[in-house]
Amino acid sequence: GEDVEQSLFLSVREGDSSVINCTYTDSSSTYLYWYKQEPGAGLQLLTYIFSNMDMKQDQRLTVLLNKKDKHLSLRIADTQTGDSAIYFCAFSGATSGTYKYIFGTGTRLKVLA
Amino acid sequence: GAGVSQTPSNKVTEKGKYVELRCDPISGHTALYWYRQSLGQGPEFLIYFQGTGAADDSGLPNDRFFAVRPEGSVSTLKIQRTERGDSAVYLCASSTAVNNEQFFGPGTRLTVL
């Protein structure tokens, strides 16, 4: 079955860049997403990338996709304390079904003031 | 406009009891999804509705779990004979169409004692 892995924790200082990594096994993934989850709140879509793209930039967020290595990363520039949350990568695609999101285990980002 | 809402926000029940969890999708969204998020894990797909019908219920863990969407809007996830292992946050999401962005609700935290 599909497998999506993320490191559990990341701690950075305010103003530094954060890089959250994700590896996946399903090479047929069509859409790859990054979600943010804050305590007591629902999942918030931050950005997504199509599988035919290598990079996408959206304000402070940069997504890099290495299809050969099946590696997805999210870079947050100038990280702020409000960025502290759990970040999930997720994908949908031919194998999982485009309606079914497969999520990683989540990376808890802690931003130190 | 209003987002996806879920009620109750918290539910505590005893082992063996029956529970119902409700999801109100965004008005006009035809696709509705249920996911389950266990502690320290990413959300896992349970079931997907297109309109009134369950298009894919392959994620339901066993026959104690059932979901309905009788009028193509509100959905109810029903769990019979609850077990302690059912304790999790149950997330609902909706989208305008099957391939479009899924908007998540805040979830219902179910605790089975």
Side-chain angles (χ1 to χ4, degrees):
Chain A
E2 303 93 347
D3 191 23
V4 184
E5 293 190 356
Q6 299 180 239
S7 53
L8 291 180
F9 298 102
L10 177 65
S11 180
V12 299
R13 295 208 171 273
E14 191 174 21
D16 289 349
S17 292
S18 308
V19 179
I20 302 170
N21 295 300
C22 172
T23 58
Y24 59 97
T25 57
D26 186 353
S27 59
S28 69
S29 302
T30 306
Y31 303 91
L32 299 102
Y33 310 88
W34 282 104
Y35 278 85
K36 177 183 181 182
Q37 187 175 46
E38 296 177 277
L43 288 162
Q44 175 193 355
L45 179 65
L46 290 177
T47 187
Y48 65 92
I49 190 169
F50 294 111
S51 59
N52 62 357
M53 299 168 64
D54 297 324
M55 186 184 87
K56 181 179 180 181
Q57 188 155 0
D58 185 359
Q59 299 182 330
R60 292 191 298 124
L61 306 178
T62 302
V63 179
L64 295 177
L65 174 61
N66 182 329
K67 289 186 288 291
K68 175 177 173 290
D69 294 338
K70 297 179 187 173
H71 182 265
L72 181 73
S73 68
L74 174 70
R75 179 177 180 270
I76 305 172
D78 188 23
T79 312
Q80 301 298 305
T81 54
D83 295 325
S84 293
I86 301 176
Y87 291 80
F88 292 94
C89 61
F91 69 86
S92 64
T95 301
S96 67
T98 52
Y99 52 83
K100 186 189 301 183
Y101 287 9
I102 307 296
F103 285 87
T105 50
T107 298
R108 183 179 294 274
L109 173 65
K110 183 174 182 180
V111 182
L112 305 173
Chain B
V4 177
S5 62
Q6 293 186 245
T7 54
S9 55
N10 281 284
K11 176 70 177 178
V12 180
T13 191
E14 293 179 342
K15 181 176 178 296
K17 299 289 189 184
Y18 167 82
V19 296
E20 290 189 351
L21 312 179
R22 177 188 167 107
C23 172
D24 279 88
I26 293 172
S27 178
H29 281 195
T30 58
L32 185 145
Y33 318 80
W34 284 98
Y35 293 81
R36 179 169 73 172
Q37 185 175 17
S38 300
L39 190 64
Q41 301 295 317
E44 293 179 305
F45 170 82
L46 294 177
I47 186 170
Y48 150 65
F49 287 89
Q50 180 59 46
T52 60
D56 182 357
D57 63 358
S58 63
L60 295 178
N62 51 60
D63 61 6
R64 295 186 297 106
F65 289 73
F66 189 71
V68 295
R69 195 186 185 199
E71 297 178 358
S73 178
V74 171
S75 176
T76 304
L77 179 66
K78 308 180 180 192
I79 310 174
Q80 298 178 319
R81 305 183 304 280
T82 51
E83 299 178 357
R84 292 194 181 88
D86 299 334
S87 295
V89 175
Y90 289 81
L91 297 167
C92 176
S94 69
S95 66
T96 54
V98 65
N99 290 333
N100 290 357
E101 176 187 346
Q102 296 181 22
F103 293 85
F104 284 81
T108 294
R109 181 176 298 278
L110 175 66
T111 303
V112 182
L113 302 176

Coordinates of all heavy atoms in Angstrom, one line a residue, chain B residues 11-55:
Chain B
K11 N -16.9 14.0 22.1 CA -17.9 13.0 22.5 C -17.2 11.9 23.4 O -16.2 11.3 23.0 CB -18.5 12.3 21.3 CG -19.5 11.1 21.6 CD -20.7 11.6 22.2 CE -21.7 10.5 22.5 NZ -23.0 11.0 23.1
V12 N -17.7 11.7 24.6 CA -17.1 10.7 25.5 C -18.2 9.6 25.7 O -19.3 10.0 26.0 CB -16.7 11.3 26.9 CG1 -16.1 10.2 27.7 CG2 -15.7 12.4 26.7
T13 N -17.9 8.4 25.4 CA -18.8 7.3 25.6 C -18.2 6.1 26.2 O -17.0 6.1 26.4 CB -19.4 7.0 24.2 OG1 -20.5 6.1 24.3 CG2 -18.3 6.2 23.3
E14 N -19.0 5.2 26.6 CA -18.5 4.0 27.2 C -18.4 2.9 26.2 O -19.2 2.8 25.2 CB -19.4 3.6 28.3 CG -19.4 4.5 29.5 CD -20.4 4.1 30.6 OE1 -21.2 3.2 30.3 OE2 -20.2 4.6 31.7
K15 N -17.5 2.0 26.4 CA -17.3 0.8 25.5 C -18.6 0.1 25.3 O -19.4 -0.1 26.3 CB -16.3 -0.1 26.2 CG -15.9 -1.4 25.4 CD -14.8 -2.1 26.1 CE -14.5 -3.4 25.4 NZ -15.6 -4.4 25.4
G16 N -18.9 -0.2 24.1 CA -20.1 -1.0 23.8 C -21.3 -0.1 23.4 O -22.3 -0.6 22.8
K17 N -21.2 1.2 23.6 CA -22.3 2.2 23.2 C -22.3 2.5 21.7 O -21.3 2.3 21.0 CB -22.2 3.4 24.1 CG -22.3 3.2 25.6 CD -23.7 2.9 26.0 CE -23.8 2.9 27.5 NZ -25.1 2.4 27.9
Y18 N -23.4 3.1 21.3 CA -23.5 3.5 19.9 C -23.4 5.1 19.9 O -23.9 5.8 20.8 CB -25.0 3.1 19.5 CG -25.4 3.8 18.2 CD1 -25.1 3.2 17.0 CD2 -26.3 4.9 18.2 CE1 -25.5 3.8 15.8 CE2 -26.7 5.4 17.0 CZ -26.4 4.9 15.8 OH -26.8 5.4 14.6
V19 N -22.7 5.5 18.8 CA -22.5 7.0 18.7 C -22.8 7.4 17.3 O -22.6 6.6 16.3 CB -21.1 7.5 19.1 CG1 -20.8 7.2 20.6 CG2 -20.0 6.8 18.2
E20 N -23.2 8.7 17.1 CA -23.4 9.3 15.8 C -22.6 10.6 15.8 O -22.7 11.4 16.7 CB -24.9 9.6 15.6 CG -25.7 8.4 15.4 CD -27.1 8.7 14.9 OE1 -27.5 9.9 15.0 OE2 -27.9 7.8 14.6
L21 N -21.9 10.8 14.7 CA -21.1 12.0 14.5 C -21.7 12.7 13.3 O -21.8 12.0 12.2 CB -19.6 11.7 14.3 CG -19.0 10.7 15.4 CD1 -17.6 10.5 15.1 CD2 -19.2 11.3 16.8
R22 N -21.9 14.0 13.4 CA -22.5 14.7 12.3 C -21.6 15.7 11.6 O -20.7 16.3 12.2 CB -23.7 15.5 12.9 CG -24.5 16.4 11.9 CD -25.5 17.3 12.6 NE -26.0 18.3 11.7 CZ -27.2 18.3 11.2 NH1 -28.1 17.3 11.4 NH2 -27.6 19.3 10.4
C23 N -21.8 15.8 10.3 CA -21.0 16.7 9.4 C -21.9 17.5 8.6 O -22.7 17.0 7.8 CB -20.0 15.9 8.6 SG -19.1 16.9 7.3
D24 N -21.7 18.8 8.6 CA -22.4 19.8 7.7 C -21.4 20.3 6.7 O -20.6 21.1 7.1 CB -23.0 20.9 8.5 CG -24.3 20.5 9.2 OD1 -24.3 20.0 10.3 OD2 -25.4 20.8 8.5
P25 N -21.5 19.9 5.5 CA -20.5 20.4 4.5 C -20.8 21.8 4.1 O -21.8 22.4 4.5 CB -20.7 19.4 3.3 CG -22.2 19.1 3.4 CD -22.5 19.0 4.9
I26 N -19.9 22.4 3.4 CA -20.1 23.7 2.8 C -21.2 23.6 1.8 O -21.3 22.6 1.0 CB -18.8 24.2 2.1 CG1 -17.7 24.4 3.2 CG2 -19.0 25.5 1.3 CD1 -16.3 24.7 2.6
S27 N -22.1 24.6 1.8 CA -23.3 24.6 1.0 C -22.9 24.5 -0.5 O -22.0 25.2 -1.0 CB -24.1 25.8 1.2 OG -25.2 25.9 0.3
G28 N -23.5 23.5 -1.2 CA -23.2 23.4 -2.6 C -22.2 22.3 -2.9 O -22.0 22.0 -4.1
H29 N -21.4 21.9 -1.9 CA -20.4 20.9 -2.1 C -21.1 19.5 -2.3 O -21.8 19.1 -1.4 CB -19.4 20.9 -1.0 CG -18.4 22.0 -1.0 ND1 -17.2 22.0 -0.3 CD2 -18.4 23.1 -1.8 CE1 -16.5 23.0 -0.6 NE2 -17.2 23.8 -1.5
T30 N -20.8 18.9 -3.4 CA -21.4 17.6 -3.7 C -20.6 16.4 -3.1 O -21.2 15.4 -2.9 CB -21.6 17.4 -5.2 OG1 -20.3 17.5 -5.8 CG2 -22.5 18.5 -5.8
A31 N -19.3 16.6 -3.0 CA -18.5 15.5 -2.5 C -18.2 15.7 -1.0 O -18.0 16.8 -0.5 CB -17.2 15.5 -3.2
L32 N -18.3 14.6 -0.3 CA -18.1 14.6 1.2 C -17.2 13.4 1.6 O -17.4 12.3 1.1 CB -19.4 14.6 1.9 CG -19.4 14.7 3.5 CD1 -20.6 15.5 3.9 CD2 -19.3 13.4 4.2
Y33 N -16.3 13.7 2.5 CA -15.3 12.6 2.9 C -15.3 12.6 4.4 O -15.3 13.6 5.1 CB -13.9 13.0 2.4 CG -13.9 13.6 1.0 CD1 -14.2 14.9 0.7 CD2 -13.5 12.8 -0.1 CE1 -14.2 15.4 -0.6 CE2 -13.4 13.3 -1.4 CZ -13.8 14.6 -1.6 OH -13.8 15.1 -2.9
W34 N -15.0 11.4 4.9 CA -14.7 11.1 6.3 C -13.3 10.6 6.5 O -13.0 9.6 5.7 CB -15.7 10.2 7.0 CG -17.1 10.7 7.3 CD1 -18.2 10.6 6.5 CD2 -17.5 11.5 8.4 NE1 -19.3 11.3 7.1 CE2 -18.8 11.8 8.3 CE3 -16.8 11.9 9.6 CZ2 -19.5 12.5 9.3 CZ3 -17.5 12.6 10.5 CH2 -18.8 12.9 10.4
Y35 N -12.6 11.1 7.4 CA -11.3 10.6 7.8 C -11.2 10.4 9.3 O -12.0 11.0 10.0 CB -10.2 11.6 7.4 CG -10.0 11.9 5.9 CD1 -10.8 12.7 5.2 CD2 -8.9 11.3 5.2 CE1 -10.6 13.0 3.9 CE2 -8.7 11.5 3.9 CZ -9.6 12.4 3.2 OH -9.4 12.6 1.9
R36 N -10.3 9.5 9.7 CA -10.1 9.3 11.1 C -8.6 9.6 11.4 O -7.7 9.1 10.7 CB -10.4 7.9 11.5 CG -10.2 7.5 13.0 CD -10.8 6.2 13.4 NE -10.0 5.1 12.9 CZ -10.3 3.8 13.2 NH1 -11.3 3.6 14.1 NH2 -9.6 2.8 12.7
Q37 N -8.4 10.4 12.5 CA -7.0 10.7 12.9 C -6.7 10.2 14.3 O -7.3 10.8 15.2 CB -6.8 12.2 12.8 CG -5.3 12.6 13.0 CD -5.1 14.1 12.8 OE1 -6.1 14.9 12.8 NE2 -3.9 14.5 12.7
S38 N -5.9 9.2 14.4 CA -5.5 8.7 15.7 C -4.4 9.6 16.2 O -3.7 10.2 15.5 CB -5.1 7.2 15.6 OG -6.2 6.5 15.1
L39 N -4.1 9.5 17.5 CA -3.2 10.3 18.2 C -1.8 10.1 17.6 O -1.3 9.0 17.4 CB -3.1 10.0 19.7 CG -2.3 11.0 20.5 CD1 -2.9 12.4 20.5 CD2 -2.2 10.4 22.0
G40 N -1.2 11.2 17.2 CA 0.2 11.1 16.6 C 0.3 10.6 15.2 O 1.4 10.4 14.7
Q41 N -0.9 10.5 14.5 CA -0.9 10.0 13.1 C -1.5 11.1 12.2 O -2.2 12.0 12.7 CB -1.7 8.7 13.1 CG -1.2 7.6 13.9 CD 0.2 7.2 13.5 OE1 0.4 7.0 12.3 NE2 1.1 6.9 14.4
G42 N -1.4 10.8 10.9 CA -2.1 11.6 10.0 C -3.5 11.1 9.8 O -3.8 9.9 10.1
P43 N -4.4 11.9 9.2 CA -5.7 11.4 8.9 C -5.7 10.2 8.0 O -4.9 10.1 7.0 CB -6.4 12.6 8.2 CG -5.6 13.8 8.7 CD -4.2 13.3 8.8
E44 N -6.6 9.3 8.2 CA -6.8 8.1 7.3 C -8.2 8.1 6.7 O -9.2 8.3 7.4 CB -6.6 6.8 8.1 CG -5.2 6.6 8.6 CD -5.0 5.3 9.4 OE1 -5.8 5.2 10.4 OE2 -4.2 4.5 9.1
F45 N -8.3 7.9 5.4 CA -9.5 7.9 4.7 C -10.5 6.8 5.2 O -10.1 5.6 5.5 CB -9.2 7.6 3.2 CG -10.4 7.4 2.4 CD1 -11.2 8.5 1.9 CD2 -10.8 6.1 2.0 CE1 -12.3 8.3 1.1 CE2 -11.9 5.9 1.2 CZ -12.7 7.0 0.8
L46 N -11.7 7.1 5.4 CA -12.8 6.2 5.8 C -13.7 5.9 4.6 O -13.9 4.8 4.2 CB -13.5 6.7 7.0 CG -12.7 6.8 8.3 CD1 -13.6 7.4 9.4 CD2 -12.2 5.4 8.7
I47 N -14.4 7.0 4.1 CA -15.5 6.9 3.2 C -15.6 8.2 2.4 O -15.3 9.2 2.9 CB -16.8 6.5 3.9 CG1 -17.9 6.1 2.9 CG2 -17.2 7.5 4.9 CD1 -19.1 5.5 3.6
Y48 N -16.2 8.0 1.2 CA -16.4 9.2 0.3 C -17.8 9.1 -0.3 O -18.2 8.0 -0.7 CB -15.3 9.2 -0.7 CG -15.7 9.8 -2.1 CD1 -16.0 11.1 -2.2 CD2 -15.7 9.0 -3.2 CE1 -16.3 11.6 -3.4 CE2 -16.0 9.5 -4.5 CZ -16.3 10.8 -4.6 OH -16.6 11.4 -5.8
F49 N -18.5 10.2 -0.2 CA -19.8 10.3 -0.8 C -19.8 11.3 -2.0 O -19.1 12.3 -2.0 CB -20.8 10.9 0.2 CG -21.2 10.0 1.2 CD1 -20.5 9.9 2.4 CD2 -22.3 9.2 1.1 CE1 -20.9 9.0 3.4 CE2 -22.7 8.3 2.1 CZ -22.0 8.2 3.3
Q50 N -20.4 10.9 -3.1 CA -20.7 11.8 -4.2 C -22.2 11.9 -4.2 O -22.9 10.9 -4.6 CB -20.1 11.3 -5.5 CG -20.4 12.2 -6.7 CD -19.8 13.5 -6.5 OE1 -18.7 13.7 -6.1 NE2 -20.6 14.6 -6.8
G51 N -22.7 13.0 -3.8 CA -24.2 13.1 -3.7 C -24.7 12.3 -2.5 O -24.1 12.4 -1.4
T52 N -25.7 11.5 -2.7 CA -26.2 10.7 -1.6 C -25.6 9.3 -1.5 O -25.7 8.7 -0.4 CB -27.8 10.5 -1.9 OG1 -27.9 9.8 -3.1 CG2 -28.5 11.8 -1.9
G53 N -24.9 8.9 -2.5 CA -24.3 7.6 -2.5 C -22.9 7.5 -2.0 O -22.1 8.4 -2.3
A54 N -22.6 6.4 -1.3 CA -21.2 6.2 -0.9 C -20.4 5.6 -2.1 O -20.6 4.4 -2.4 CB -21.1 5.2 0.3
A55 N -19.6 6.4 -2.6 CA -18.8 6.0 -3.8 C -17.7 5.1 -3.5 O -17.3 4.2 -4.3 CB -18.3 7.2 -4.6

